Amino acid sequence: MNQDVHNFIAQHELLKGVDTVIVATSGGPDSMALLFYLWEMRKPYNIRIEAAHANHQLRGQESDSDEQYVADFCGEYGIPFHTTKLDIVGFATKNGLGTQAAASQLRYQWFDELLKGRPNSCLATAHHGDDQTETIFMTMVRGVNLLKETGINEKRFLENGFVIRPFLGITKEEIEHYCSRVGLFPRSDTSNSSMKYTRNRFRHHLMPFIKKENPSIHTHMQRYHEWQRDDQQFLMELAEEALEGITLQKSEQSITISIEAIERLRFPLQRRVIHLILRYLYGKNSPSSTSIHIEQVQRLLNRHEPSKELHLANGLFAYLSYDCCHFSLKPPKRIQQPHVDLSVPGEVDVATGRFTSYYLETSDIPKEQKYMTFLDADKLIFPLSIRGVLPGDRITGRGMTGSKKVSRLFIDKKVDASFRGAWPLLTDGDGEVLWVPFLHRSKSTDITDKTKRVLVLVFTPNDEFFLFHDYKSITGGAF
């Protein structure tokens, strides 16, 4: 065993730059073996050994006896000893957690506190190769997100330091044999035989069969975990680069991506890009399983329908808008532009921006842009108004014979159906549509060589407008 552990520590450089190792010691065979092994090897490794015992207070006097056993052992060998009592039941009840999850969270919080202000120290836990195999199978059977790590890392980073697992290369049987050989008499935790815990059911029912089929399964599983982790990290790095390239807009509560761009990615990268989006928006509230959500989003993207909507877990929405897919923690807005009069000259705020109007001499007319239009003031029928589209609206557009339905214009320009009611239209006193900003202008009030007065209209969009559209393609990069 000694040589296998030493090789594992060297291979993964677990003690590089470390001068003090705090061993998490429960009093059971695994942790006592680790404490004694590192204590025996303290001089060859040039490290100082300390012990840390967390009393979970779940087994009454038995828990207190475990604490006293570790304290006595450390006293006999002169090992500095840290201890704490954790309110597992109270923490689990308050946070809606199971006992095991609550114990793990509190335990690692305390470990992190022990490492605070000690830059050359680390904490060691006695997770071994059988734990690794159990964890991988438990994770796979549970059916959690397939892009998440399934096993136990040989090194885990905390806020104030890191945790090492030197025993991941050996089995429980080897540990028990080591305890017997060196004369250790560890404590026995009666809860380890309880079938109410998932790990115990895997340990007692599944592991004997697996180890009979392959006695070296722990070696294979450790290699499997390390290779899978390296592959995942590499693919995630590629996915992060890809996401940056396909993102059109991003805020704390929403991300908009190009559907055409994500469709050019291979499926493995698509999955990871979607995973990154969900992880970013969910944050700490991420559901325990998102593999189904990833597949749902992929199906949404591959339907090739201009307008579709998907309700995901925890209030997250995904919805299509032609070539855009929006992910938002807020439901899609159904904005409607009300009828408002436009002062000339003057300004008026509308649902998606601001209109500004002023007069110019014909000699001062600048180059026309998509966000502005020039009207022959003497051809206008006042008052001018801004309103949303109405059934039957048509525009006598420049460069066309006859007129065109505004609704058809929206379809041709790929304006999302949910946003068409918010798109502002400039109309005259007779209700004729003179201008649909960024999309089309009427020719009925065109400037000619006979024009004496020019009315300039400028539309400045706000964030609500840009939320639904790739502003560069619509505005020509003007805003």
Side-chain angles (χ1 to χ4, degrees), residues 350-364:
V350 295
T352 54
R354 170 175 292 183
F355 280 86
T356 305
S357 64
Y358 56 91
Y359 289 107
L360 276 181
E361 297 296 325
T362 55
S363 59
D364 296 329

Side-chain angles (χ1 to χ4, degrees), residues 86-89 91-93 97-107:
L86 303 176
D87 181 12
I88 305 299
V89 175
F91 184 78
T93 302
L97 298 171
T99 303
Q100 298 298 312
S104 178
Q105 282 194 30
L106 283 183
R107 194 164 57 245

Side-chain angles (χ1 to χ4, degrees), residues 34-35 49 79 85 119 181 195 208 260 266 340 376 387 408 448:
L34 179 61
L35 178 63
I49 300 300
I79 301 172
K85 286 182 169 57
R181 179 169 61 82
M195 291 299 106
E260 181 183 357
R266 298 290 293 271
V340 294
D376 187 325
R387 63 167 172 81
R408 184 71 244 178
T448 68

